[in-house]
Amino acid sequence: MAVVSVAIMVSFHLKNEPSPVERRIALPVGLLFWLLSAACLANGLANYVKTVVKYGRRRALVQSGWKTQVTFTIVACAIVAVCVLFLSTNAEKE
């Protein structure tokens, strides 16, 4: 997701130049994806640390909790929303 955020921020296009609307929304959307990638990394690190601590007590149960589910639900909703946004921006351009 961090790579996607950088690609969005620099308005990476192969065939044509980005529209003014795309340039205007590139930085906020790129920052949003960067923050979401940092949240996923933090969530994964927290699950790992919790599991290692429980392994130390010989009581490990590896599973994701409600915080992980909420984080990835937000990430999925953001991806769908940005896809719709980019498709509508592209439809206006053509």
Side-chain angles (χ1 to χ4, degrees), residues 13 16-20 22 86-94:
H13 284 270
N16 51 15
E17 290 295 315
S19 69
E22 288 173 331
F86 285 159
L87 286 173
S88 67
T89 303
N90 194 24
E92 288 176 8
K93 191 166 55 171
E94 291 178 5

Side-chain angles (χ1 to χ4, degrees), residues 13-53:
H13 284 270
L14 291 174
K15 294 182 180 178
N16 51 15
E17 290 295 315
S19 69
V21 173
E22 288 173 331
R23 286 189 188 269
R24 190 172 57 236
I25 64 171
L27 183 63
V29 171
L31 289 176
L32 172 74
F33 268 76
W34 189 84
L35 289 173
L36 289 174
S37 69
C40 289
L41 182 64
N43 201 332
L45 181 64
N47 278 343
Y48 172 75
V49 169
K50 185 172 60 172
T51 302
V52 167
V53 167

